[in-house]
Amino acid sequence: MKKRRGRGPRLSRRSFLAGTGAVAAGLSFRPGLSWAGEEPKLNFYNWDTYIGETTLDDFKDATGIEVTMDLFADNDELFAKLKEGNPGYDVIVPTNDYVERMIRAEMLTPLDHGKIPNFRKNVAKAFQDAEFDPGRKYSMPYMWGTQGIGYRKSKVDGVPDSWKYLLDSDRYSGRIALLSEGVLGAALKYLGYSYNSKDPKEIKEAEELLIRQKPHIKVFAEDNGQDLLLSGEVDLTMEWNGDILQVMEEDDDISYIVPKEGSLVWQDCLCIPTGAPHPDNAHRFINFILDAEVGAAIADFIQYATPNEAARKLLPDEYNNNPAIFPSEETLARCEAAIYLGEDVQRLRDEAWTRVLAA
Amino acid sequence: MDSWRKNPVVFWALNLPPTIWLVVFFIIPLGLIWVISFGEKRGVVDIEITWTLDNYLRALDPLYLGIFWKSIWMAFLATVVCLIVGYPVAFAIAFAPSRWKPLLLLGLMVPFWINILIRTYALIAVFRTRGYVNFTLEWLWEKAHAALTLIGIDPTWLLGARFDPLQLLYNNFAVNLGIVYAFFPFMVLPLYANIEKLDRTYMEASLDLGAGHWRTFISVVLPLTWHGALSGIIIVFIPALGAFFIPDLLGGTDSQLIGNVIERQFKSANDWPFGAALSFLLMYATFGALALRSLIAGRKQGLEI
């Protein structure tokens, strides 16, 4: 999965402050070692602007543990950095399909749920188990979101609440951008199949649908659909909700909807990589983040959907009722998370995509 | 040149660092990719080297051959454009007054100091629907519209009811333009070096003896500067063949080049053996081009003796 953080210049100042805070925390001198035999340090590997403004300082005040935060740009980078051995990170934030990959590659440490009481206490039922990590042995939910349609309100008729407008219609011909990543799944969804379909016939059908629609599509975007939308290059784009939320802050004419056929739902998780030097501190940090007030402060700052039920109760309606953050229960029920499909299916789907692009 | 036999210590002291550099950062990684291209996937991260040829056979599928062919065609087109535009530019610099030359060369090189990715993004700002080219055209359209109205001609049938922005991005034209823009200095510099060395009296003689400018260029200048052109062609064509982020950023729905397919194998498709095989096929094509170059150069030398 590609980058979808880095919430633009408006927030970069805050991320800078958070960064300097982390550096300052790293530099400040604390004499003596801590109680549990583990030095009071923690190395956190996170996305950019993806933590509360004071979360790391608050954690230090509460526990005396100093957090050093490094940033990665996408899951590929995170995966590549840890693939040949953990360079010293204690807590990482992979997305669900990469959690699954990392479990298979034995890159994650099993979690001790006894040390994370906030998980059972605060996290919504729907997130207490996961298909990609049965029993939540390796991962705790951090934030989640969707893929959907970002659109310019003044240029479309009504609300484009179906994949039809993007994938099977000439109504908005030449004003559509689709995401290279996930468009095959969206086509499968539109046809009424699973986002994770393994059936060659269904994949072929999705491929043919996309080839038929190609003349009406302006561009298969990498991860810049929001920029194309903002600059007026297109009027409808398939995108990650976080990216569209970012441009919605700049332009009132832009909105976001998860199509009624359902879509992709993603989940970023807190995990402890194999070989983490401070596993006890890591457990304490994860438990701290899953606290109601801490989770509320983070979600309020970064404006992503939190799986933390207790935290949501502390947050205003304007956050809880924002359809770009929380789609309706009904739509959400039709969304699926990407799962690992095996090498053969992956190859089948990549070849289908190559044929769409070559057609 | 056999002094290295007399001074082996000096020779190795000077040559060891670059040799180690070459082996560690070029030969070994390349060797690893070569070995992986004969592997089979066994899971998410495991690749077993079975010396299978399946990856290469898969690359010979018409689907991938078509993409190879398209990439070669696009790289060829970009090289030709570079050559046609590059000659006059190189000439202009070579024949400019000597105090202008460094400035002109600097003008050619300065954009090169900026990261290619940033320059490609800049192209987007220039060419998009609401970019600088269309803004300029729209401004001209409005002026022409106003002028025609002023002299009493209805401008609608001549200029249309409203300005229609040109679609300059997200198509193969944009990809070609991006490649030409990115690699243009590679063409001009060797050409300039050769034209600069050229003995001007040959051209004067040709013109004195009655040949026109075109004839002089074809019969005198071209044969004498062909070496520079050949170098330029090679160093433009090879990187153009592997371009991937230019079609990613500027291309439309049918601008996939082989570089994009290879990139995807190493990232989202997570199929390193196949990506490695495609890379090596591309490299063999490059070797072929280089061999052709030395063959042509060799034959020329043979003729001159």
Side-chain angles (χ1 to χ4, degrees):
Chain A
M1 227 160 269
K2 293 272 162 64
K3 171 186 81 77
R4 45 167 190 276
R5 287 356 97 153
R7 310 207 338 130
R10 202 184 69 82
L11 280 171
S12 60
R13 184 183 56 83
R14 297 194 205 163
S15 84
F16 171 73
L17 290 177
T20 45
V23 170
L27 286 174
S28 68
F29 178 67
R30 286 183 71 87
L33 281 171
S34 81
W35 39 283
E38 231 172 55
E39 55 175 345
K41 282 188 179 143
L42 182 93
N43 300 318
F44 183 33
Y45 200 23
N46 190 16
W47 303 81
D48 196 4
T49 51
Y50 208 43
I51 187 84
E53 216 164 1
T54 59
T55 313
L56 302 183
D57 288 339
D58 296 345
F59 181 63
K60 191 186 163 200
D61 290 344
T63 62
I65 297 168
E66 293 162 4
V67 180
T68 309
M69 183 166 72
D70 284 350
L71 305 175
F72 58 87
D74 59 36
N75 278 301
D76 284 325
E77 188 184 335
L78 167 71
F79 189 77
K81 197 139 186 182
L82 289 158
K83 194 174 164 183
E84 306 301 333
N86 182 356
Y89 292 115
D90 298 303
V91 177
I92 55 172
V93 194
T95 310
N96 51 294
D97 48 340
Y98 276 75
V99 171
E100 199 177 3
R101 268 199 203 191
M102 289 177 141
I103 294 172
R104 280 167 196 274
E106 293 171 357
M107 289 159 71
L108 299 179
T109 310
L111 300 172
D112 182 348
H113 284 209
K115 290 182 184 166
I116 315 174
N118 280 339
F119 173 56
R120 294 272 174 241
K121 197 174 110 199
N122 294 337
V123 170
K125 280 276 170 292
F127 293 93
Q128 298 224 345
D129 201 1
E131 202 179 351
F132 58 86
D133 177 17
R136 285 279 181 192
K137 283 203 200 77
Y138 297 91
S139 68
M140 290 288 130
Y142 180 53
M143 293 286 157
W144 64 275
T146 51
Q147 225 172 32
I149 301 171
Y151 61 98
R152 186 166 285 283
K153 286 185 264 185
S154 59
K155 293 285 177 72
V156 298
D157 311 320
V159 176
D161 61 348
S162 164
W163 286 121
K164 182 181 175 57
Y165 300 111
L166 268 65
L167 302 176
D168 194 14
S169 148
D170 58 1
R171 188 149 161 199
Y172 300 114
S173 184
R175 294 151 60 194
I176 301 168
L178 297 175
L179 276 188
S180 302
E181 189 190 335
V183 63
L184 199 69
L188 285 161
K189 266 300 198 198
Y190 172 69
L191 294 167
Y193 306 129
S194 162
Y195 189 94
N196 296 307
S197 172
K198 297 180 175 184
D199 185 340
K201 257 203 318 236
E202 294 174 4
I203 294 169
K204 186 82 198 161
E205 221 179 302
E207 176 194 325
E208 281 161 3
L209 174 75
L210 289 171
I211 290 174
R212 238 187 356 259
Q213 181 70 0
K214 252 181 88 167
H216 306 302
I217 297 164
K218 181 149 193 176
V219 58
F220 291 118
E222 279 304 298
D223 189 27
N224 56 345
Q226 74 276 22
D227 300 331
L228 297 171
L229 191 60
L230 190 65
S231 68
E233 199 71 44
V234 299
D235 294 325
L236 296 105
T237 179
M238 176 181 168
E239 253 302 345
W240 305 100
N241 66 326
D243 281 335
I244 298 298
L245 268 165
Q246 175 197 326
V247 290
M248 277 166 72
E249 284 165 8
E250 291 174 45
D251 189 339
D252 287 341
D253 197 23
I254 290 173
S255 190
Y256 176 85
I257 178 108
V258 179
K260 60 187 178 202
E261 294 91 355
S263 180
L264 173 74
V265 57
W266 55 264
Q267 192 182 122
D268 284 338
C269 300
L270 299 162
C271 301
I272 303 179
T274 309
H278 314 103
D280 272 329
N281 295 350
H283 279 91
R284 292 181 75 183
F285 184 62
I286 291 173
N287 192 51
F288 181 77
I289 285 181
L290 294 181
D291 175 76
E293 273 176 47
V294 174
I298 298 173
D300 190 40
F301 183 64
I302 65 175
Q303 294 285 308
Y304 275 87
T306 175
N308 191 330
E309 198 67 41
R312 275 189 77 174
K313 292 202 178 96
L314 302 174
L315 287 163
D317 285 350
E318 131 192 53
Y319 167 83
N320 279 318
N321 298 336
N322 186 339
I325 300 177
F326 296 99
S328 73
E329 289 295 323
E330 201 188 348
T331 307
L332 195 58
R334 282 193 284 270
C335 289
E336 289 174 78
I339 55 167
Y340 177 71
L341 301 169
E343 296 303 318
D344 291 343
V345 179
Q346 194 158 350
R347 174 171 162 176
L348 200 69
R349 290 175 69 131
D350 181 65
E351 280 193 331
W353 180 234
T354 306
R355 274 194 297 273
V356 170
L357 289 174
Chain B
M1 272 309 285
D2 61 351
S3 61
W4 67 273
R5 285 178 209 277
K6 292 175 202 153
N7 273 318
V9 177
V10 175
F11 175 79
W12 282 113
L14 288 173
N15 274 282
L16 209 55
T19 309
I20 290 175
W21 182 272
L22 192 72
V23 169
V24 172
F25 294 112
F26 186 69
I27 308 276
I28 291 178
L30 212 61
L32 283 176
I33 297 290
W34 186 74
V35 170
I36 286 174
S37 75
F38 297 101
E40 278 176 60
K41 291 219 67 188
R42 286 281 182 270
V44 179
V45 285
D46 299 318
I47 295 165
E48 197 180 315
I49 307 301
T50 55
W51 301 104
T52 173
L53 288 173
D54 282 356
N55 298 311
Y56 288 94
L57 290 177
R58 187 181 159 199
L60 296 179
D61 184 289
L63 172 65
Y64 297 105
L65 286 183
I67 300 168
F68 262 113
W69 175 243
K70 177 167 185 179
S71 307
I72 291 170
W73 171 244
M74 291 284 277
F76 170 76
L77 221 59
T79 311
V80 169
V81 174
C82 277
L83 193 62
I84 291 171
V85 183
Y87 251 111
V89 171
F91 256 100
I93 298 177
F95 283 84
S98 52
R99 66 197 165 94
W100 283 103
K101 265 185 214 175
L103 273 177
L104 290 171
L105 282 174
L106 199 70
L108 189 73
M109 291 309 293
V110 162
F112 225 56
W113 298 346
I114 300 163
N115 185 294
I116 174 70
L117 204 57
I118 294 169
R119 280 188 288 147
T120 307
Y121 271 106
L123 279 187
I124 295 180
V126 172
F127 288 109
R128 65 184 170 199
T129 312
R130 284 165 60 189
Y132 297 112
V133 169
N134 275 318
F135 283 155
T136 310
L137 291 175
E138 189 172 10
W139 182 80
L140 288 173
W141 184 90
E142 274 166 11
K143 292 291 161 214
H145 197 273
L148 284 176
T149 316
L150 202 68
I151 57 172
I153 302 169
D154 179 20
T156 318
W157 64 271
L158 202 65
L159 294 169
R162 63 189 179 88
F163 174 70
D164 231 356
L166 294 179
Q167 298 299 319
L168 299 165
L169 271 189
Y170 310 116
N171 49 40
N172 289 329
F173 162 79
V175 175
N176 229 303
L177 192 95
I179 295 176
V180 168
Y181 175 64
F183 302 122
F184 187 61
F186 287 144
M187 182 62 87
V188 175
L189 290 177
L191 275 178
Y192 165 76
N194 264 264
I195 294 170
E196 181 71 22
K197 276 190 303 189
L198 188 66
D199 191 340
R200 312 263 158 99
T201 51
Y202 288 148
M203 275 179 278
E204 284 163 20
S206 167
L207 291 169
D208 282 350
L209 292 170
H213 280 94
W214 180 243
R215 183 73 199 277
T216 303
F217 178 77
I218 296 291
S219 311
V220 178
V221 177
L222 206 58
L224 288 173
T225 55
W226 184 236
H227 265 286
L230 214 53
S231 305
I233 289 170
I234 293 287
I235 52 179
V236 169
F237 184 77
I238 290 173
L241 199 56
F244 67 95
F245 62 83
I246 294 173
D248 256 359
L249 290 173
L250 306 179
T253 52
D254 62 343
S255 301
Q256 168 177 254
L257 299 183
I258 197 69
N260 302 105
V261 181
I262 294 174
E263 186 207 9
R264 219 164 44 240
Q265 301 312 312
F266 284 97
K267 291 174 100 180
S268 63
N270 193 29
D271 192 345
W272 285 35
F274 184 49
L278 287 173
S279 306
F280 265 87
L281 284 177
L282 194 63
M283 194 133 47
Y284 294 144
T286 312
F287 286 155
L290 286 173
L292 208 65
R293 181 203 185 279
S294 50
L295 204 71
I296 295 170
R299 189 187 295 161
K300 267 188 87 76
Q301 243 163 19
L303 283 175
E304 273 162 19
I305 290 165

